[in-house]
Every structure is written in C-alpha cells, then in structure tokens.
Amino acid sequence: MVSGRAPGIVLVHGTRFSAAQWSPQLGPLREEFDVEAVDLPGHGARRGEPWSLAAAAEVVAEAVDALGRGPALVVGHSLGGYVGLEFARVRPELLGGLVLAGASASTRGRWATPYRWVAGLVPRVSEERLTRWNDWLLRRMYTPDVAGPTVRAGYGFAALPAAWGEVLGRFGAEAMRDVAAPVLILNGEKDMVFRAGEREFAAEHPQARIELIPRARHLVNFDQPEAFTDAVRRFARELDTA
C-alpha cells in the first residue's frame, strides 16, 4: 500500500529508447510507489512530436501532475538524466528528488566530440538498418524479459540529432546548483564515459551522493535490474521519511 507521504516516481528514458526501457523496474516499484514512465518527444508514443528540451521538461511536469502526489522523484537515464536537470531548473516546485543514472558527465569540451559525430552520422544511416543493429545488440546482451519490451516498442532515431544537438554544450557540473532537492548519482561501475564527472557533479550539490552498481555499464538498469531498482527504492524511501 502506498503511504500518504511516499513520493510519486517519474521514469525518464535514455537516447532512442522509450518508456519501455523501464519494464524491469515498473512492477517492483509499483508495489510500493505510484510510478509513471514517460515517452519523451520524438520517442515511443510521441515519435511524431518534435524534440526540444523545453517540451521534454513539460512531459515530465505533466507526469508529475498526473500522479497527484506533489513533488516527485524523477529518475533519468542518460538523455533522460539531462532532461531531469533541465526539469529541475524550470520546474523546481515539482521536484522532490532526482536520480541521475549515466548522466554525470559534462556535455562540453572534448568529451562531446564523438557524440557530435554520432549525431551527425545517424541521419545518413537508414532507420531500418539502425533498428536491425539495435535489435541484434539488445537481444544478444540481455534476456527477453529485460530487452523485449524495448525492442517491441521501437526506437526514436529521428530525434537523436536534435536531442543531443541541444544537450551537447549545455550541461556541466554547475547545473547541479539548480537542483533544489536531494540527488542520487547512480552509475554503472563500468560506465567510464558517463560517470566521468560524477565527483564534480556531486561536489556542486550539498545533498548529492554517488552510488555505483557493480558489474554494470551505461545501460545500468538493464545490466543489473534488481540492484538498480533497489537503489531507487531506497532513495525514494529516504525522501518519504524526510
């Protein structure tokens, strides 16, 4: 039974994926919390909508309002984590806590160069070919119960250039100063790129802490679903207690 003070949880997916990314987490978390997983503009059920960070933050705000439990815990993976930082800046009154998963690296400077290259390459490759490659990779790396819903939901490749074109160059560790709520920086131990700035990000926020999930890479909620779910659950309980 969801307690009267327990925060709602909004799950925000990463690049090219959809709300289906959170299939391993939805069932277990809903045993204790009210949870919504959103599709960002250009992804999933919103695939026909143009991408913008402003529109993405509004999608999160709508989900928080729909839960009807006041400020929510927003859990963002990769692109979704940077959306979470933007949401914290523009709608601080709706944020009760933030989990940044694979989203604690600066999107500025030399680090951003390969991602600009990928964003430029995607439009030159057919969506059919990109889909085949992603389907093959996910099916090879993960069990059907973990990756199957994401494969069936399809991908938002068309939104990738605009999404990363807007994110790159925008977020550094100082973005944490706009977060008026506790933060859990939750990274895969082996995600050496997207956890590269985790200490700098944590140092910019008085209520931020870092937690690493062993044997997990960038797609941390797929690599170690139970450990990821448990970390989010514990953090949400802390917010409930506070």
Side-chain angles (χ1 to χ4, degrees), residues 6-51:
I9 300 177
V10 177
L11 304 171
V12 190
H13 63 81
T15 302
R16 78 189 181 282
F17 287 164
S18 68
Q21 175 182 345
W22 302 108
S23 295
Q25 281 70 51
L26 283 172
L29 288 176
R30 281 175 173 162
E31 293 175 1
E32 190 171 343
F33 305 95
D34 290 335
V35 185
E36 288 287 340
V38 302
D39 287 322
L40 294 174
H43 301 76
R46 298 178 181 268
R47 201 167 293 151
E49 299 179 14
W51 166 271

Side-chain angles (χ1 to χ4, degrees), residues 29 96 112-113 123 152 159 161 171 174-176 190 203:
L29 288 176
T113 300
R152 291 190 293 272
F171 294 100
E174 72 280 358
M176 294 284 282
K190 296 182 178 181

